[in-house]
Amino acid sequence: MEESRVKKFEQYRNSISKEGSKNFRAPSNEEVSTEMGLFLKLKNRKIIENLLIIGVIIAIVLVLVIFGIKLFGR
């Protein structure tokens, strides 16, 4: 059972990497396959979405802290 999983994973990696390279890194968008390019775009989009959410949360907390200081004084 494990051997078939390993083989399927190797086939998957080979299908998304360029020329079946052992190194699974993407140095640039020009050197990766179409599937890997789509994966990298989705990954980057998810990172940007997470950063935006964290930024909005930090902005709301800062506004609440500033409003609280002005409202209640020091």
Side-chain angles (χ1 to χ4, degrees):
M1 187 72 160
E2 290 181 24
E3 291 178 356
S4 64
R5 283 182 166 180
V6 171
K7 288 189 184 247
K8 286 180 182 179
F9 182 70
E10 286 176 355
Q11 290 173 353
Y12 168 73
R13 283 184 60 166
N14 289 337
S15 72
I16 63 174
S17 65
K18 184 178 181 187
E19 300 172 3
S21 63
K22 297 277 183 184
N23 195 356
F24 197 61
R25 295 184 186 184
S28 71
N29 289 338
E30 298 168 356
E31 297 181 13
V32 297
S33 66
T34 306
E35 292 86 0
M36 188 63 183
L38 293 174
F39 171 75
L40 291 174
K41 285 181 185 178
L42 289 174
K43 182 179 171 185
N44 289 340
R45 181 180 294 166
K46 196 68 167 171
I47 290 172
I48 291 171
E49 287 175 1
N50 289 340
L51 289 175
L52 284 173
I53 291 171
I54 291 170
V56 168
I57 291 171
I58 290 172
I60 291 171
V61 168
L62 285 174
V63 167
L64 289 174
V65 167
I66 292 171
F67 181 72
I69 290 173
K70 285 187 177 187
L71 184 65
F72 297 111
R74 288 185 173 218

